[in-house]
Amino acid sequence: MAYNNDIDWEKIDDIIDEYSSDKESLLMILQDINELYNFVPPETIPVLAQKLNVPKSLIYSVATFYKTISLEPRGKYIVNVCTGTACHVRGAEKIIDAVQDNLQIDTGQTTQDGLFTLETVRCLGCCAAGPVFTVNKNMHGGLDRSSAINIIDDYKKNAS
């Protein structure tokens, strides 16, 4: 999947300035950039290294350590299926299978149109509602195969 590599450098500078160009704030800066683009564009790494006076290797180390930060382009909608114990025993694997079939991607992949990325997480913290997934930050619980697909289809319709 190709991405539009138009970086809003003013926004990047604003993020860095918000943290006073403090290298101790690298994680928060990466999270904010990730929030802006749904990943950290590679063009931003040398700029961060220069403005924070840190080696690029440190930026890559931090970015690859945290699962919430991606160095690869991700979809407009990030679907995180909970695979924690409560969701697992209530059928999380069936939800993953249904979403994979519907989107024609595997876990960790992004659809060709750039709309969806499918990921798994260990726990979303709402065990009583399992199985659950989030689409971006919107929680959906008490899922079965058909309700999961209906939710995905609603996002597809709203994206048009």
Side-chain angles (χ1 to χ4, degrees):
M1 179 193 96
Y3 77 96
N4 177 359
N5 58 353
D6 291 335
I7 306 299
D8 186 335
W9 293 107
E10 189 173 317
K11 285 184 180 178
I12 299 297
D13 286 340
D14 288 346
I15 290 169
I16 295 167
D17 291 345
E18 180 181 339
Y19 296 98
S20 304
S21 299
D22 181 7
K23 63 183 167 190
E24 297 298 321
S25 299
L26 175 60
L27 175 58
M28 282 88 67
I29 292 168
L30 288 170
Q31 288 173 325
D32 287 356
I33 294 170
N34 193 81
E35 176 101 6
L36 184 62
Y37 295 103
N38 269 350
F39 80 112
V40 176
E43 300 88 344
T44 63
I45 304 293
V47 173
L48 288 174
Q50 187 259 324
K51 291 192 177 208
L52 299 177
N53 195 28
V54 297
K56 288 188 262 183
S57 60
L58 176 64
I59 296 169
Y60 284 109
S61 176
V62 171
T64 56
F65 181 80
Y66 292 95
K67 188 172 181 171
T68 58
I69 297 172
S70 176
L71 294 173
E72 297 293 324
R74 297 191 299 173
K76 177 179 180 179
Y77 301 113
I78 299 171
V79 180
N80 280 301
V81 180
C82 180
T83 59
T85 303
C87 289
H88 174 75
V89 299
R90 291 184 176 135
E93 285 301 318
K94 291 178 184 176
I95 303 305
I96 294 168
D97 290 344
V99 174
Q100 285 176 330
D101 289 346
N102 182 274
L103 297 177
Q104 296 297 295
I105 58 172
D106 288 326
T107 303
Q109 294 182 331
T110 300
T111 56
Q112 283 298 111
D113 60 8
L115 276 182
F116 293 92
T117 296
L118 178 60
E119 298 177 346
T120 60
V121 293
R122 296 306 294 153
C123 186
L124 288 169
C126 52
C127 302
V132 299
F133 67 51
T134 59
V135 180
N136 294 348
K137 294 183 180 179
N138 299 317
M139 183 76 62
H140 303 278
L143 301 171
D144 60 22
R145 286 174 162 277
S146 63
S147 62
I149 296 310
N150 289 339
I151 292 165
I152 297 298
D153 287 344
D154 285 346
Y155 279 95
K156 286 179 184 177
K157 287 176 197 166
N158 290 331
S160 317

